Amino acid sequence: MDLGPKSFMYGRKGPWPQPSPAHPQGEAFAVIHLPFIEKLDWWIHIGSRYMYSLGMAPFMLLKALFFNGLSPVSDTEFHAILTNSMMSKFLCPKLDEDDLINFKDVLEEGERYMITDLQAVQTVKPYKGIHVSATKTLFKMKMNDANEMEYEVVAIYVFKTNELFRPTDGDAWELAKYFVLQGGAICATLVVHPNLHFPLDAINAITKTSLPKKHPIVQLLKPHMRFTLPLENAVLTFGLSVLKNKPWMSYAPYPGHYDGLRDLLVEGFTGIKGNDSYPPYEFPMNPPKIYSKYGDFQQAYFDVMYTFVSKVLEKVDPNDRYVISWANYISEHVPGFPSGSEIFEGDNLVRAVTSYFWSITVAHSIDHYNYGEMDVRKVPMRLRQAPPVKGVKMNPLSKLVTPIDQMKYLMCMKMFFGPTNVTTLYKSKYKFEVEHGLESAVQEFKKEMEDLEKLMIEKGMNYIPLKEIAASIQY
């Protein structure tokens, strides 16, 4: 028996994905036409905060004037940022043919290496007086006394000048480090992190529209789909979006023009041909491998969430035609998502739902929390000196950025990069049907997260407090 329209959110007339208007062949499917109630909810709780925050520009300018310029970044700090933060997402164990050529003078036979590849920033078209360069940073891998993998910084290759720099290269090395950190900031926010936003919008829309309201998948995910679609629509289509990066915008910190910045989203989704550090997007049935404790932390949360989702979906009928249709719809719009014929194979359903649940809560929140703690004086978005050559004299740190550059960056940190929670994962309430008997599963889930947080604190790797994890993508 087919359920009637009243059994579905929005009476089966809810949101649905379509090709992205800006890049229909290069970006994830977008959700443009939204229910009025979702837009109103977003404006009341989130859009209004953005409008209020605009008034903080004078205070941010004063802060930028007071803390003028950049701060020194030691080699130890440089190493920590690239290997123990969200920028560790760029660590890749595969050196391509160009890497073997560019780093040939420092590669040692028998040693193992990692590369931090920030080639993606080559699409940026910088404004006059601002400089950007793609870079690659080489790390040597070694085991410490605790049998843990560690990385040693070996060299930086700067694309614009086609030169290799080592820690003994004085000012040229110091300047090269800032170009790496700049590239990391740009790629973190516009290449890798967007894959936790836009490809998942199709799952949000299709779940709301194609599954019955009382289905356990909907009841599990409903608290975690709130605010997201209007937020994504604002970022991708609003004329005042931070992506537009107009020179007059007080909150637009990026170094170049809109079209070059928008191409970074394309690189993140379609990948860079021949570059193993930037593969095409595939929906992750497991957390993507991150070669750091930052990745270990996320995997630990995924495992706890997997247990909870398993209990929620335990009684879903493997012949459930609504789930089969739901999976077919999503697989047409999200690369790598199991189709209707695959969704009940093994633990595909549990793993797919867990991955979405984990991505829009833990994985998304930790990126913002971690990046929001970074020092804008050490991880610049703009640089006012050309990329280094051997023997170059680096300009004073006070001259590498302007107060206006830093004011825009501070504003963007406040409005977009730093986390601002409206609802949280820990306080989420689930309206499961009584017959599902899942009240105890919810309490067990929260207790397991509390225990995990204690363990992460003991290990010195609690990247985000449990109660700071957002319930959905809301910033």
Side-chain angles (χ1 to χ4, degrees):
M1 179 179 176
D2 196 20
L3 296 174
K6 291 184 179 179
S7 296
F8 296 81
M9 293 179 66
Y10 309 120
R12 286 207 190 101
K13 298 178 181 179
W16 203 258
Q18 66 171 64
S20 168
H23 282 279
Q25 301 300 321
E27 292 183 8
F29 282 87
V31 183
I32 305 299
H33 305 289
L34 307 174
F36 173 77
I37 191 64
E38 289 200 19
K39 292 190 286 187
L40 179 63
D41 187 36
W42 181 82
W43 272 109
I44 290 172
H45 292 96
I46 297 174
S48 58
R49 175 178 64 80
Y50 291 148
M51 301 303 293
Y52 171 79
S53 297
L54 289 172
M56 301 189 70
F59 302 100
M60 295 303 182
L61 180 58
L62 286 174
K63 185 175 180 179
L65 287 166
F66 188 77
F67 297 102
N68 189 31
L70 298 183
S71 293
V73 178
S74 69
D75 287 357
T76 301
E77 289 177 298
F78 179 69
H79 173 276
I81 293 170
L82 294 186
T83 64
N84 199 34
S85 74
M86 75 171 294
M87 290 191 192
S88 63
K89 289 184 172 186
F90 297 112
L91 287 169
C92 179
K94 297 179 181 179
L95 276 64
D96 59 33
E97 292 183 9
D98 287 342
D99 297 332
L100 297 177
I101 296 171
N102 296 333
F103 290 104
K104 67 180 186 303
D105 292 339
V106 294
L107 293 172
E108 300 175 20
E109 191 171 346
E111 297 289 351
R112 299 170 61 201
Y113 293 94
M114 281 277 185
I115 200 93
T116 289
D117 184 338
L118 301 172
Q119 181 184 343
V121 298
Q122 63 192 354
T123 69
V124 177
K125 301 171 183 177
Y127 290 123
K128 185 177 180 180
I130 300 175
H131 301 273
V132 178
S133 177
T135 62
K136 292 191 179 185
T137 304
L138 185 72
F139 295 87
K140 184 186 292 185
M141 301 168 64
K142 58 183 182 179
M143 302 299 291
N144 63 17
D145 294 338
N147 201 35
E148 296 174 331
M149 185 62 68
E150 287 186 345
Y151 307 116
E152 175 188 342
V153 182
V154 176
I156 297 169
Y157 182 80
V158 177
F159 279 60
K160 278 287 177 69
T161 55
N162 295 317
E163 290 210 46
L164 184 73
F165 302 97
R166 309 183 200 191
T168 55
D169 282 328
D171 275 15
W173 171 256
E174 297 301 321
L175 185 55
K177 288 192 297 187
Y178 286 115
F179 274 96
V180 173
L181 294 170
Q182 178 202 41
I186 295 169
C187 289
T189 55
L190 290 181
V191 180
V192 296
H193 182 74
N195 282 340
L196 291 170
H197 281 259
F198 310 119
L200 303 178
D201 292 347
I203 299 177
N204 183 313
I206 290 170
T207 300
K208 289 173 177 173
T209 302
S210 69
L211 286 177
K213 289 184 289 187
K214 292 185 178 182
H215 199 283
I217 293 178
V218 175
Q219 293 176 330
L220 168 65
L221 296 180
K222 188 175 180 181
H224 308 295
M225 297 189 291
R226 186 182 176 192
F227 302 127
T228 301
L229 295 181
L231 175 75
E232 312 288 56
N233 188 43
V235 173
L236 293 176
T237 67
F238 279 21
L240 297 179
S241 165
V242 66
L243 264 182
K244 296 294 184 180
N245 203 55
K246 298 293 186 183
W248 54 265
M249 291 178 172
S250 63
Y251 50 84
Y254 291 107
H257 298 271
Y258 164 75
D259 52 351
L261 298 178
R262 192 67 183 246
D263 286 341
L264 290 167
L265 298 185
V266 176
E267 286 185 320
F269 186 70
T270 63
I272 299 176
K273 190 175 181 179
N275 188 324
D276 289 323
S277 294
Y278 296 92
Y281 174 84
E282 286 279 327
F283 177 79
M285 295 292 277
N286 293 292
K289 179 62 178 175
I290 301 173
Y291 296 88
S292 69
K293 291 181 179 179
Y294 193 79
D296 296 340
F297 175 90
Q298 297 196 52
Q299 181 67 58
Y301 263 94
F302 182 93
D303 294 342
V304 169
M305 299 175 92
Y306 178 93
T307 300
F308 174 52
V309 174
S310 297
K311 294 174 183 176
V312 172
L313 303 183
E314 188 175 25
K315 297 180 181 178
V316 172
D317 186 343
N319 296 309
D320 187 326
R321 62 193 180 98
Y322 288 107
V323 173
I324 292 171
S325 295
W326 168 80
N328 277 328
Y329 296 142
I330 294 174
S331 66
E332 292 174 1
H333 294 89
V334 182
F337 196 92
S339 67
S341 62
E342 300 167 330
I343 196 66
F344 286 112
E345 291 181 359
D347 64 347
N348 278 352
L349 177 61
V350 173
R351 198 161 287 281
V353 173
T354 302
S355 180
Y356 176 72
F357 182 26
W358 167 84
S359 296
I360 60 179
T361 55
V362 174
H364 175 263
S365 294
I366 186 179
D367 273 7
H368 279 270
Y369 191 88
N370 185 260
Y371 194 89
E373 289 187 318
M374 291 187 183
D375 187 343
V376 301
R377 301 179 70 203
K378 295 184 177 183
V379 183
M381 279 285 186
R382 297 180 173 191
L383 287 169
R384 298 279 177 170
Q385 182 173 355
V389 293
K390 291 287 175 63
V392 71
K393 178 71 174 176
M394 188 171 74
N395 292 342
L397 294 177
S398 60
K399 302 295 184 181
L400 289 180
V401 293
T402 69
I404 295 297
D405 294 337
Q406 296 301 73
M407 180 270 287
K408 291 172 178 281
Y409 201 173
L410 290 166
M411 282 289 290
C412 193
M413 275 286 195
K414 179 68 177 176
M415 294 177 68
F416 307 111
F417 292 165
T420 307
N421 293 328
V422 180
T423 59
T424 62
L425 171 63
Y426 185 77
K427 292 186 177 180
S428 295
K429 296 180 179 179
Y430 304 94
K431 297 181 180 179
F432 294 117
E433 298 300 300
V434 175
E435 58 267 25
H436 293 159
L438 292 170
E439 294 82 1
S440 61
V442 173
Q443 297 308 312
E444 289 170 10
F445 172 50
K446 294 186 177 182
K447 177 64 167 57
E448 288 177 4
M449 288 196 294
E450 290 172 353
D451 292 342
L452 177 58
E453 179 175 46
K454 293 175 184 176
L455 178 61
M456 294 295 103
I457 291 172
E458 288 175 8
K459 291 185 174 183
M461 51 186 284
N462 193 46
Y463 283 91
I464 182 173
L466 169 58
K467 294 184 180 179
E468 292 295 326
I469 299 173
S472 61
I473 295 177
Q474 47 198 252
Y475 43 79

